[in-house]
Amino acid sequence: NAGVMQNPRHLVRRRGQEARLRCSPMKGHSHVYWYRQLPEEGLKFMVYLQKENIIDESGMPKERFSAEFPKEGPSILRIQQVVRGDSAAYFCASSAKPYEQYFGPGTRLTVT
Amino acid sequence: ELKVEQNPLFLSMQEGKNYTIYCNYSTTSDRLYWYRQDPGKSLESLFVLLSNGAVKQEGRLMASLDTKARLSTLHITAAVHDLSATYFCAVEEFYFGTGTSLTVIP
């Protein structure tokens, strides 16, 4: 059983471009969480999704950020018009049941 | 917003010694997680604590939860170098502590 997959692992974007981060949950998992980790800091929750639904997006910046988890395919975190402050590691986690999360390897976004 | 504080932020300890990391949080909650993160890596789930008085142990690590005091502890027994990492507590799936960077010195 493959673990949580994230791609790309490293992403470089210039200011103003769009970044698309993908998260494929473990097989059978229908819950996905996205987090952002700035250098030398803890994780900040961004959004919690179930298939085709956003359950909690209270940690998501109001502008430029969006997330989806379609019926088929990976969950996608989309950042439009990236700025240098978006440079961070973005982790997703998936779960099939409460209290059991599995984290992906992360995508390290660098904005130049 | 729920706040989670960990202390210490940095911990340097000798092999063989014992120490405790503390995690305080500001409002009641019914679940508390501990994670380990190695440099440049993802998070590894260590424990989930679901009730007052819950205690879980794995190897040299033991975690406990006091929901009345809003406090969880991660106790390290007879530390070894392999335990060097950053340890995070998290309340529910949404609120993470700042992390404790642990270095075990031979």
Side-chain angles (χ1 to χ4, degrees):
Chain A
N1 189 11
V4 179
M5 311 275 283
Q6 286 188 252
N7 67 81
R9 296 290 304 277
H10 299 273
L11 181 62
V12 180
R13 285 286 178 267
R14 291 183 176 159
R15 279 179 296 173
Q17 290 185 319
E18 179 180 288
R20 282 190 180 227
L21 288 62
R22 294 174 184 77
C23 171
S24 297
M26 289 177 69
K27 187 177 181 181
H29 287 196
S30 59
H31 303 250
V32 167
Y33 306 79
W34 284 95
Y35 302 89
R36 176 164 64 178
Q37 186 176 34
L38 294 171
E40 308 300 325
E41 293 189 11
L43 269 70
K44 301 286 188 214
F45 164 76
M46 299 182 75
V47 62
Y48 165 36
L49 311 105
Q50 292 182 18
K51 284 281 187 182
E52 300 185 276
N53 287 304
I54 296 175
I55 307 302
D56 185 338
E57 57 181 348
S58 58
M60 193 92 101
K62 294 287 187 283
E63 297 181 355
R64 303 188 297 107
F65 286 73
S66 63
E68 62 177 6
F69 188 15
K71 187 176 179 181
E72 303 289 338
S75 175
I76 295 175
L77 179 67
R78 182 181 176 207
I79 311 172
Q80 294 179 290
Q81 299 177 311
V82 296
V83 300
R84 287 224 172 106
D86 297 332
S87 294
Y90 292 82
F91 292 97
C92 75
S94 74
S95 69
K97 57 184 179 181
Y99 320 138
E100 196 173 84
Q101 277 188 317
Y102 295 86
F103 278 80
T107 293
R108 278 144 183 91
L109 172 65
T110 302
V111 179
T112 61
Chain B
E1 180 181 310
L2 191 152
K3 295 196 184 300
V4 183
E5 291 186 352
Q6 276 182 248
N7 68 83
L9 298 184
F10 298 94
L11 176 56
S12 181
M13 57 190 297
Q14 285 188 313
E15 278 191 333
K17 298 291 187 182
N18 304 333
Y19 209 84
T20 301
I21 299 170
Y22 298 88
C23 174
N24 292 89
Y25 52 98
S26 59
T27 59
T28 56
S29 176
D30 63 356
R31 54 194 187 273
L32 190 294
Y33 297 85
W34 283 97
Y35 298 95
R36 168 184 172 142
Q37 186 178 36
D38 291 294
K41 303 291 186 183
S42 187
L43 275 75
E44 174 190 355
S45 179
L46 296 174
F47 303 107
V48 55
L49 303 166
L50 299 175
S51 60
N52 187 41
V55 176
K56 289 196 175 179
Q57 182 163 6
E58 182 74 33
R60 301 175 188 274
L61 301 177
M62 183 174 71
S64 66
L65 178 62
D66 181 342
T67 57
K68 292 180 182 176
R70 298 175 194 161
L71 171 69
S72 180
T73 61
L74 181 66
H75 186 73
I76 303 155
T77 302
V80 293
H81 180 68
D82 285 352
L83 290 179
S84 296
T86 298
Y87 293 84
F88 292 98
C89 65
V91 176
E92 301 173 0
E93 292 77 31
F94 309 118
Y95 307 102
F96 279 72
T98 48
T100 295
S101 177
L102 170 66
T103 302
V104 180
I105 304 167

